[in-house]
Amino acid sequence: MLRRSVLMCSAAALAAASLPEDAWAGPGDPVAKLLSGLSLEQKVGQLFVGYVYGDNATAPSAADAAANTARYGVASGAEVVRRYHLGGVIYFTWSHNLGGGPAQIAALSNGLQAAARADAGIPLQISTDQEGGIVNRIGAPLAISPGNMAAGATADPGAALRAARVSGQELLALGINVVDAPVVDVNTNPRNAADGPRAFGDRTAAVALFGAAAVAGYRAAGIGAQAKHFPGLGDTTVNTDNGVAVTDETREQILATHVPPFVAAIAAGVPSIMAAHIVAPALDPSGAPASLSRPIVTGLLRERLRFDGVVVTDALDAAALAGLTQEQIVLGALDAGIDQLLMPADPPRAVRAVLDAVAAGTLTEARIDQSVRRILRMKRALGLFDRGDAPAPVVGTPEHLQTMADIAARSVTKLKGAGLPLAAGSSVLVTGWGVSTTQTLTDGLAARGLSATRLWTGSPSPALIAQAVAAAQTAAATVVTTNNAWSDPTQVALVQALLATGRPVVVAAVGGPYDIAYFPTAPAYLAVYGYQPPSLAALADALTGRAGTPGRLPVTIRTPDGASVLYAFGSGSS
């Protein structure tokens, strides 16, 4: 049924939809009661999702206390939550939230929740970007998903559901109640620096099916999901974290190709959608980024797609918004129809901008109430008002680890296989991209009976390429890892130099699978779509013949100029 609804979704169908009547308020509505008890300052605080420094809510290190003070004017995360009445906090490794293991993360979550409840009695949304694959904030001992494109390569939407369910259960054990996933962008541009293997693939119907399955998996785990990045980043080349991304596609192309996965996610019950900073002139001729665009957020997402859940911006400190003031950003987002403001560059100034706008009469309290209702409704639906402290976390169970390992094993895609499997006991050189990636793969091959040595080259200099070529001359075979080699000519130079030796070479793509277009004469080429431990273990099994290569390309690989197809969607050999 879902497949049929996705395939039938068209520009005409979207245009025929209309926004339902507002059915929030009522005499017995618990959200209305909660809202009526909040001050204006507390309501405004609910709109913001920020980050705090430290691995402890009340006793941060001196460095983290100084960082909080510089950003917020108070020293601890708990004080930040109370002073600004924050509706949400997002965790990162670089803000030192996630470095102490599961017990530390759960304790931090409990401490921040205590501060939120002591302030306004409203539980805190705690989130992180745990997509799996190449965007993964928390590592072992959690069971780590191989990522979206790896799931797509299994050709089984159930893989996305199972990965999401496991990941969601483990995040909840840490007190994290919203996951900033899944990415439901359709990766139609092979040179996409924002998505690549973060996407399920390049076919609209398939991405819609896998995205909806992931939403269902997170729902089954009891965690809030967040479909991103509306209206779709799949056709761009620029990551909006680093610059301005513009799509030149027509309105009809965007509605037919990139919007249907969001329709499917809404049908699957996704509670939150992230608006991208992409500029889509066909949807908004003003040139405003989607996150600040009323035609895109209110006109398309709210009114035509009938989404009445929470809409959050992408990070407001992104380079795509450079040149705009804090006032222009936060007030523009609210005017567009946004509910949650993620990571403003200057939080005190951003909060003050909203309060000042209300005082000046340019922003109504009723407009703020509209967003806070949605936020409170989502928090109630997720059961946050009923939850106590996160218990002693149980993560990385054998069952969970096996789930992720099975998905990774089913994703390995072989496009060329000369010389595979590698002979037992043979000497193998592992080189290429990734310090930990090449080391983990070397250890895995050694554990499977090969005499494996490692020479990490990263983005190699001519001297390092010469070292790798010399080492390859004495090895029975060389395994070279690549990651988005299309954007790094030095990786291409390394592979071409190794191929020129005439010695056996296996190229293993640990990012997107598109790299083979830049060295098509490679005799052996495997794609695993990521470099998390399950994917590297599956790669080692495939290289040594302990497992097959059942994966199929979830994208089409073209020549670098795009003129012809090298490997069609669904390619791969067992």
Side-chain angles (χ1 to χ4, degrees), residues 149 183-204 207 228-240 245-249 253-254 257-259 261-262 274 276-280 314 486 514 555-556:
M149 195 167 281
V183 170
V184 295
D185 299 333
V186 183
N187 198 71
T188 55
N189 190 331
R191 299 177 69 86
N192 190 328
D195 288 330
R198 297 172 67 193
F200 288 107
D202 67 2
R203 299 290 179 93
T204 298
V207 172
K228 58 187 186 184
H229 310 79
F230 188 82
L233 288 178
D235 183 54
T236 65
T237 56
V238 177
N239 188 327
T240 56
V246 180
T247 175
D248 294 323
E249 290 189 310
Q253 287 173 321
I254 295 170
T257 302
H258 302 285
V259 170
F262 292 96
M274 177 180 285
H277 299 318
I278 186 174
V279 176
D314 206 339
W486 51 264
Y514 304 102
V555 298
T556 298

Side-chain angles (χ1 to χ4, degrees), residues 279-376:
V279 176
L283 299 181
D284 184 351
S286 75
S291 54
L292 309 185
S293 168
R294 188 168 183 82
I296 294 174
V297 175
T298 294
L300 178 56
L301 182 55
R302 295 279 192 217
E303 295 176 354
R304 296 195 176 185
L305 271 58
R306 305 180 68 176
F307 181 65
D308 198 27
V310 171
V311 182
V312 59
T313 66
D314 206 339
L316 294 179
D317 59 359
L321 303 180
L324 298 176
T325 67
Q326 287 294 283
E327 291 79 8
Q328 289 172 321
I329 290 170
V330 298
L331 297 179
L334 292 174
D335 181 67
I338 292 290
D339 300 308
Q340 287 184 323
L341 303 161
L342 176 64
M343 297 167 56
D346 186 341
R349 183 177 170 186
V351 170
R352 177 48 53 191
V354 178
L355 293 171
D356 287 348
V358 175
T362 57
L363 175 66
T364 67
E365 189 167 352
R367 168 65 189 89
I368 293 173
D369 287 352
Q370 187 181 49
S371 286
V372 177
R373 282 191 189 99
R374 292 191 183 103
I375 294 165
L376 296 178

Side-chain angles (χ1 to χ4, degrees), residues 32-56:
K33 183 177 179 180
L34 287 166
L35 186 62
S36 67
L38 298 178
S39 67
L40 174 61
E41 289 76 11
Q42 289 170 329
K43 292 176 187 178
V44 171
Q46 285 296 309
L47 305 177
F48 286 88
V49 178
Y51 58 86
V52 297
Y53 290 93
D55 60 5
N56 182 290

Side-chain angles (χ1 to χ4, degrees), residues 476-504:
T478 296
V479 177
V480 54
T481 58
T482 66
N483 183 11
N484 288 355
W486 51 264
S487 66
D488 183 0
T490 65
Q491 289 189 55
V492 177
L494 170 65
V495 174
Q496 290 176 340
L498 291 170
L499 293 175
T501 65
R503 304 291 297 165

Side-chain angles (χ1 to χ4, degrees), residues 412-416 420 422 430-434 437-438 441 445 478-485 491 495 498 505-516 519 522 524-531 535-536 538-540 542-543:
V412 180
T413 305
K414 181 171 69 177
L415 298 182
K416 301 176 79 172
L420 293 177
L422 301 175
V430 178
T431 189
W433 180 90
T437 295
T438 50
L441 182 57
L445 293 175
T478 296
V479 177
V480 54
T481 58
T482 66
N483 183 11
N484 288 355
Q491 289 189 55
V495 174
L498 291 170
V505 174
V506 180
V507 180
V510 296
Y514 304 102
D515 292 353
I516 194 170
F519 22 82
Y525 184 91
L526 300 177
V528 294
Y529 311 99
Y531 42 78
S535 295
L536 296 178
L539 174 59
L543 288 169

